[in-house]
Amino acid sequence: MAYIISEEAKDLVQDVKNFCDNEVKEQCKEYDRSGEWPKEIYDKAIEQGYQALEVPEEYGGPGLSRVDVAALIEQMAIADAGFATTISASGLGMKPVLIAGTEEQKQRVCDIVLEGGFGAFGLTEPGAGSDAGAGVTKAVREGDEYVLNGRKCFITNGAIADFYCITAMTDKSKGVKGISMFLVEKGTPGLSAGNEEDKLGIRTSNTTDVVLEDVRIPAENLLGNEGDGFKIAMQTLDQARTWMGCISAGIAQRGIDEALQYGKERIQFGKPIIKNQALQFKIADMVIKTETARQMVAHALTLMDMEVPYSKESAIAKCYASDIAMEVASESIQMFGGYGYSREYPVEKLLRDAKIFQIFEGTNEIQRIVIANNTIR
Ligand code: CAA
């Protein structure tokens, strides 16, 4: 067992593995080619309640620790990183509410998720990527409503979410302290999804612009107070980044599994290629990196469960795990030789899937800034 988890979670890991082996792993190969969002796979996952793993027990969730959930998300990532990303990005959408919402807001979004809905998080804008505070989406208070106008981009679950947590400027003169966070529900007039991105990897996840044109929402959909939005967004990302590390470790684990199986089957010079010490060392290095990444993920999640500071550890987990996922995926292709470069075999997809984890939820350069700031401070 890679993660040390509860007895209850051990049974669930087996259930998720069986589900992914039967319903996700092979099926996602075709969707990876077409780029179509595999609704029928997600419908089956929702039947199992997999979208609700992160819902806290007090709001009707399964009552798992974060490390328990990591063991389950890793199984999903081993099967298909896009699938795991969709589930995890839904949890990302829920986090601002769980961090800063009222009891009523928390129960509202948890109920949506428990009933089979997905969430999304809308921070990034065309002119505000790494510089997350540079967004120009506006929210203007009119009576007991806010009116939102602007465009968010690269939003995971953008076209399929049932609710969105969206940052918008309520007072431009205050810079990042003029940013607020709002809960916007699907179906609100003026809210729409823009074009879907045709991505290099995680092609079974949905990534779109989210367009806000005179979107009127009740004033009580403000999360926290006006001006709290940037801080809530940063706290959200502090948690969410570890989950990106978790999925990255899952991609790396798949790379090891595939390389090992191929190494045992592929005969060259009259013996399986895994009999060569050069390749055994390659596998050993892949295992060292993957296991280290996984334990960093577990460490950051344990700190979160203990409610002690974890920004630095979460950034390390995300940064390290995504860097090694790229290395391990590349080494896995190397084990396969020419076949590894072919779409007929499963390992080239791992490299394509891994790349985004060095970029989204804060590039690994931003993670190094977060790590340095937390260390120097
Ligand atoms: N927790 C709480 N507060 C925080 C914080 C944190 N982790 N980080 C910063 N703040 C607060 C600061 O304390 C400061 O407030 P005070 O002045 O009161 O102290 C305020 O926020 C501004 O802080 P900074 O001056 O440090 O902010 P900055 O503008 O320099 O930005 C940054 C810092 C770390 C670079 C930040 O902009 C950042 O994280 N950028 C990357 C954005 C990112 O990760 N985007 C990913 C989007 S999500 C995604 O990828 C979508 C998806 O669907 C997968």
Side-chain angles (χ1 to χ4, degrees):
M1 184 59 64
Y3 286 102
I4 298 168
I5 55 173
S6 64
E7 286 305 312
E8 188 198 354
K10 282 180 192 166
D11 292 340
L12 267 172
V13 167
Q14 197 51 51
D15 291 347
V16 171
K17 184 179 178 332
N18 293 344
F19 176 85
C20 289
D21 285 348
N22 297 328
E23 308 287 353
V24 179
K25 209 171 186 173
E26 288 305 308
Q27 292 79 346
C28 280
K29 277 186 191 167
E30 244 347 278
Y31 291 106
D32 173 59
R33 274 171 199 250
S34 68
E36 188 191 334
W37 191 71
K39 184 175 183 315
E40 55 272 38
I41 295 179
Y42 289 109
D43 285 346
K44 287 179 186 168
I46 287 166
E47 273 172 36
Q48 303 299 318
Y50 293 157
Q51 84 293 352
L53 294 172
E54 284 193 70
V55 174
E57 198 170 14
E58 62 263 45
Y59 304 110
L64 298 165
S65 75
R66 287 184 172 89
V67 178
D68 286 346
V69 177
L72 305 174
I73 298 285
E74 177 173 318
Q75 288 305 317
M76 297 178 194
I78 288 170
D80 181 72
F83 176 71
T85 299
T86 302
I87 301 290
S88 188
S90 179
L92 167 69
M94 208 165 47
K95 286 182 174 66
V97 184
L98 293 176
I99 287 168
T102 60
E103 285 304 303
E104 185 278 323
Q105 289 167 333
K106 289 179 189 177
Q107 193 61 65
R108 192 163 17 133
V109 296
C110 288
D111 285 347
I112 295 174
V113 173
L114 288 165
E115 281 160 21
F118 284 128
F121 177 62
L123 170 68
T124 305
E125 296 185 19
S130 292
D131 187 2
V136 293
T137 292
K138 273 198 314 196
V140 177
R141 176 104 192 212
E142 284 186 13
D144 54 3
E145 289 179 328
Y146 282 97
V147 184
L148 274 62
N149 276 287
R151 175 179 284 267
K152 299 289 171 178
C153 63
F154 297 128
I155 305 305
T156 308
N157 296 345
I160 55 106
D162 296 86
F163 67 91
Y164 303 78
C165 283
I166 288 186
T167 52
M169 192 62 92
T170 41
D171 187 347
K172 199 172 183 312
S173 67
K174 292 186 178 159
V176 293
K177 288 196 167 53
I179 297 173
S180 303
M181 180 79 76
F182 298 94
L183 175 59
V184 183
E185 290 191 40
K186 177 181 163 184
T188 309
L191 174 74
S192 62
N195 281 348
E196 188 175 348
E197 300 294 339
D198 186 7
K199 305 189 295 288
L200 176 72
I202 58 161
R203 288 171 58 78
T204 52
S205 68
N206 169 269
T207 312
T208 68
D209 280 9
V210 170
V211 185
L212 301 127
E213 288 169 321
D214 289 329
V215 173
R216 286 183 175 273
I217 54 168
E220 64 257 27
N221 281 20
L222 172 71
L223 296 175
N225 296 311
E226 277 195 17
D228 287 350
F230 189 75
K231 198 170 174 179
I232 299 169
M234 291 300 111
Q235 290 170 334
T236 296
L237 288 166
D238 276 346
Q239 290 190 11
R241 285 168 179 156
T242 310
W243 294 107
M244 297 304 102
C246 173
I247 299 174
S248 302
I251 296 172
Q253 185 57 52
R254 176 74 180 272
I256 295 170
D257 296 346
E258 295 291 349
L260 207 51
Q261 188 186 333
Y262 185 79
K264 288 177 183 171
E265 287 167 3
R266 173 75 172 161
I267 308 292
Q268 288 289 273
F269 304 105
K271 60 181 182 189
I273 60 171
I274 197 67
K275 296 280 182 195
N276 295 296
Q277 200 178 49
L279 298 191
Q280 292 173 3
F281 282 7
K282 213 182 259 308
I283 292 284
D285 283 336
M286 291 158 83
V287 171
I288 290 168
K289 290 171 185 170
T290 305
E291 190 58 28
T292 306
R294 186 181 286 125
Q295 294 315 321
M296 195 62 221
V297 167
H299 179 53
L301 294 176
T302 303
L303 296 178
M304 264 177 239
D305 277 344
M306 291 167 67
E307 297 182 7
V308 295
Y310 47 78
S311 304
K312 182 179 76 179
E313 290 75 9
S314 185
I316 295 172
K318 188 267 188 197
C319 184
Y320 181 76
S322 56
D323 282 349
I324 69 95
M326 282 296 286
E327 290 169 28
V328 172
S330 175
E331 284 296 64
S332 188
I333 293 172
Q334 194 68 20
M335 284 278 289
F336 275 72
Y339 292 114
Y341 201 63
S342 164
R343 283 201 161 199
E344 208 188 319
Y345 287 79
V347 285
E348 58 79 36
K349 174 178 178 291
L350 301 180
L351 192 71
R352 287 188 287 109
D353 285 345
K355 184 61 201 171
I356 190 61
F357 293 85
Q358 294 182 308
I359 299 170
F360 67 5
E361 299 205 9
T363 63
N364 282 2
E365 290 73 19
I366 291 291
Q367 304 311 314
R368 287 176 168 90
I369 290 174
V370 171
I371 294 161
N373 285 345
N374 275 282
T375 305
I376 295 160
R377 194 182 300 142

